[in-house]
Amino acid sequence: MMFDSLPRIKLAVWGLVGAFLLILATAASYQIWNARKNVLAESHEQAARFMAGAEASLNRSLLGVDVLLAGTDELLKLSDMVPEWVNTKTASQLLRSTARQNLMVRFVALLDSSGRVFASSEFVGDGLQLELPKGFVEDVLAQPMSTLVISAPTVSFSTSEQVLYFGRYIRMADGSRVLAVAEVPTAMLASVLMQGTDIANLEVTLERGNGLLLFGFPSQEVRTEQMLTPALGDAAPAAETKELSARLSQVPALVVTRPIIYQNLWISASIPIESALVDWRVERNAVAGAAMVLGVLLLLASGFFMVYLDRITTARQAIGQAKATLDQALESMESGFLVLDAKRRVVKWNRRLEEIHPCLQGAITPLMPFRLMLERSASHQLEGRSAAEQARWVEQRMELDVAEPHEQILPTGDHIQITERSTPDGGVVIIYHDVTELRRASAEIETLAFYDTLTGLPNRRLLLDRLTQATVVSARTNLIGALLFLDLDHFKVVNDTLGHEVGDRLLRQVAQRLKACVRDADTVARLGGDEFVVMLLDLSEHKEHAAQLAQHIGDKILQALNQPYALDEKPYRATCSLGATLFGQQTQSAAELLKQADIAMYQVKARHGNALCFFDPQMQTAINERAQLEVDLRAALERSEFQLHYQPQFTLDGRMVGAEALLRWNQSQRGMVSPAVFIAVAEESELIVPLGQWVLQTACRQLAAWRSDPRLAELDLAVNVSARQFRQNDFVQQVHNALLESGAPSHRLKLELTETLMLDNVDECITKMSLLKTSGVRFSVDDFGTGYSSLAYLTRLPLDQLKIDQSFVRNLGVRHSDGLIVQTIVGMARNLGLEVIAEGVETIEQRDLLAQHGCTLYQGYLLARPAPVAALEALLASVAGSDPRLAGERGGHI
């Protein structure tokens, strides 16, 4: 019966083999077909992703060039000019600084409608030789509105590189048009479009809607007027990838095309199907070969026994692979791993555990008791401790805590987080995770949040927290504390003259000296800049005694900070201003205490610093009065309470040649307020900006009124400009608007600037002065000699006049050094070709000494006091042709 069934068994086996071979062939075919489908789909996605990135990058780059070209109008104010007003040199300099900000652009040039270059970012300026593609200028000018136009590819005249020209027109004030043109090498477009993409045989094009090729990759050498078919502008945008002909090689390819944000411009990406299927062919051959091999094996397997053996072998291989995968995963863990059985013996561990505990390297063996492992670890981690302490540590670790993780600090300082979890068989899994970097980061975050990075002192946040706690404790213990607010005197001079690095070094040394002057329980904090705060705790129960102790410590701090500092290999002496206030007797907020100490410190500043002053409630009254003065100033601007007085300026022979406009405030309740009182408040509150604009506009209107009077038409009018007003971005435009609206002659307007203002940012100052200089406006240095002028800077500044400060004039004939200073200023001005005028001339002797030194222009009470415009005009009529001394006698009464 067995023999009878054998054929059926064989038939069944062969039937199974045949069916399996059929299934195998079907599966292999499906796998090959599916792999091809997946490869093409992946290539589709790859092309789409590349297109999305390339489109975004190209749009950003073209937008950057477009913004650069459009920005030339705002940069050069072309729309407010006519072609004859454009200063070629200045325009080229501004274009050069702007063009450097866009790495794609080789240069930017401005052309008139005939194609002539009149300014460029190249050093040759309007001498740039530019050969644009034929018809490009006409194409740009033909646009109904100013928009970006890209030329056909051409070869640069200067570099012989293949380039594209980007252009758009700008309409000037007279209706004429000029072209802003940028040259962009196609190599830069290649880097923008390709984005470092590594797609085999990828073809990328930038073309117009009519098929004109502007740029192609990899064949970057595009022939002029090369046309591609079909034209992309004739069809709808292909947002999805399609199987078409590649745009360059015309081979079958996966092609995606998209228009960019600029009209009539398209980009395309083509991946040849032949290249996309390279890896698929390898996979196809591998699948087909594997199917054939398996078929041969199945044919050789003639019985159920071989199939059974194959299944056993496969199962064993799967088990082995799973075990190897598990071992590999355990070894690759960043955490240490230890498995104990129910008897607390080592079953499994990984290499990371031995790296965390070097003392266990080579010492751990399978089924090793956990206690023995801990004893070995204890001798290393608790080195130097007694045997009893080590034994207690081992017992604590043996009491495995599977509830919460805990941390262990190794002798190396590393923090190890230990997590213990039970297993179903009663064992334990222990994970050792290194959290050292996390703890260091947390500590660093806390340091950055509560401590000053430069000095290591507590910052404002931590100080306020400690001060709040200190006030609560003081109220409970009846012990009075003190708060000292410290500000270094003239610290800005250190930064400006020696540099910020030296200034930082000084601040660190100040911090060290402050900490040495106080107790450990006290707090030294840095608020920022050169401001420090010292908080003294538990000084005394009595206010007078506490104040004495605070005074003593403050004197100690002043003495310590007055000692020389080692800066830049040279000794440097610095002083400070200390404001103090007591706390603890009544409830006060930390912010209020800081404010009181700050007010006291500024009282010291007003007395030239290097002293200590306790807070006085009268100081708060002064602060309130200053705040009210600021409110009154704002109201005065709205109610037009300000007026200009004019102090005339004379020559040696008594001729009035000009005047200085001086601001006066006639307040309804205060009466006439001195400029010395309200100008400082206006400066601090930034009201000086609208106030300065009013002065400038009023002075220009006065100049325009004088223009019609032959006696007054030749007078110059000087206007003081504050630092805040001059630093306004639109200051040049403000002056131009004031002149245009009033019709004043610009050559009669003289702007007086201080030395400090001009030296704060020399390049910006030169730019603004030069722009105004082209309009005829003149410049004078006010209070000359009181700042830190550099002769090199003076030679660069477009100045017309130096005004000798009255502090030097006052002591002429009294102090020999002031006479030498005046003589030096006059000599320097002559060498620089500048006028010299002296202010504050109050005596005939001062005028005569100035004349001896070569100064022939004067302003002061000897000649005339500041007065309204009507008095000035009357004075001019009365002193015309008279002796200057008579002018002084008359001027003293107006």
Side-chain angles (χ1 to χ4, degrees), residues 6-54:
L6 185 59
R8 289 197 298 272
I9 295 174
K10 289 183 177 180
L11 183 59
V13 170
W14 286 114
L16 291 173
V17 170
F20 194 87
L21 287 175
L22 180 62
I23 294 173
L24 180 63
T26 302
S29 299
Y30 175 79
Q31 179 67 24
I32 292 172
W33 173 82
N34 190 55
R36 186 180 188 277
K37 177 182 176 183
N38 291 339
V39 167
L40 291 177
E42 182 178 355
S43 297
H44 286 196
E45 294 177 359
Q46 195 175 26
R49 286 195 302 270
F50 168 79
M51 177 59 71

Side-chain angles (χ1 to χ4, degrees), residues 156-167:
S156 172
F157 178 83
S158 58
T159 63
S160 299
E161 288 182 295
Q162 192 170 29
V163 298
L164 295 174
Y165 288 99
F166 294 68

Side-chain angles (χ1 to χ4, degrees), residues 121-190:
S121 62
E122 298 289 80
F123 286 98
V124 295
D126 59 350
L128 176 67
Q129 298 296 320
L130 185 60
E131 184 173 345
L132 297 174
K134 184 178 180 181
F136 178 66
V137 173
E138 290 76 11
D139 288 345
V140 178
L141 294 176
Q143 299 300 315
M145 60 183 295
S146 180
T147 186
L148 185 69
V149 177
I150 304 177
S151 74
T154 186
V155 177
S156 172
F157 178 83
S158 58
T159 63
S160 299
E161 288 182 295
Q162 192 170 29
V163 298
L164 295 174
Y165 288 99
F166 294 68
R168 68 182 299 154
Y169 69 77
I170 299 170
R171 191 181 302 275
M172 302 195 73
D174 60 353
S176 63
R177 298 180 180 181
V178 295
L179 275 70
V181 177
E183 181 183 278
V184 177
T186 57
M188 299 300 294
L189 284 178

